[in-house]
């Protein structure tokens, strides 16, 4: 796999939802449905991705593949973890 530079945006739609955009892709070029889904975007950082880089919540190879094929990757927020509380018998 190659190295890919991207811009990362926080999505206003949901907390911890991020949009990775290939450095050669303009926001205006992204699908209209995607832009409706993410709502307002806030630039968080620019990042160079490679096989060696570890990402906290997603497989870097999956992100690179999506960036090269689609120009973007959307990272959904993690599922809410609800503890199984026991109140006694």
């Amino acid at each position: 796999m190659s190295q890919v530079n991207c811009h990362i945006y926080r999505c206003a739609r949901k907390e911890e939802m991020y949009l990775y955009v290939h450095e050669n892709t303009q926001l205006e070029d992204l699908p209209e449905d995607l832009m409706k889904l993410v709502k307002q975007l806030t630039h968080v950082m620019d990042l160079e991705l490679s096989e060696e880089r570890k990402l906290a919540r997603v497989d870097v190879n999956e992100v690179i593949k999506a960036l090269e094929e689609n120009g973007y990757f959307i990272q959904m927020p993690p599922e809410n973890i609800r503890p199984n509380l026991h109140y006694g018998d």
Side-chain angles (χ1 to χ4, degrees), residues 2-6 22-23 47-50 63-64 67-68:
S2 59
Q3 290 183 323
V4 176
N5 292 316
C6 67
H22 193 286
E23 71 175 343
L47 201 58
E48 182 179 283
L49 301 177
S50 66
V63 177
I64 291 171
L67 290 171
E68 289 177 339

Side-chain angles (χ1 to χ4, degrees), residues 6-12 14 16-23 25-28 30 35 38-46 71-75:
C6 67
H7 309 292
I8 302 176
Y9 298 89
R10 183 175 40 248
C11 306
K14 287 187 177 186
E16 297 191 50
M17 181 179 190
Y18 292 92
L19 180 65
Y20 294 66
V21 180
H22 193 286
E23 71 175 343
T25 302
Q26 301 299 314
L27 291 178
E28 302 82 44
L30 295 174
M35 296 309 289
V38 298
K39 302 246 179 193
Q40 183 180 357
L41 296 172
T42 304
H43 183 260
V44 177
M45 72 173 95
D46 297 324
Y72 69 91
F73 174 83
I74 189 158
Q75 178 182 311

Side-chain angles (χ1 to χ4, degrees), residues 82-88:
R82 298 185 185 261
N84 186 7
L85 299 177
H86 179 71
Y87 294 105

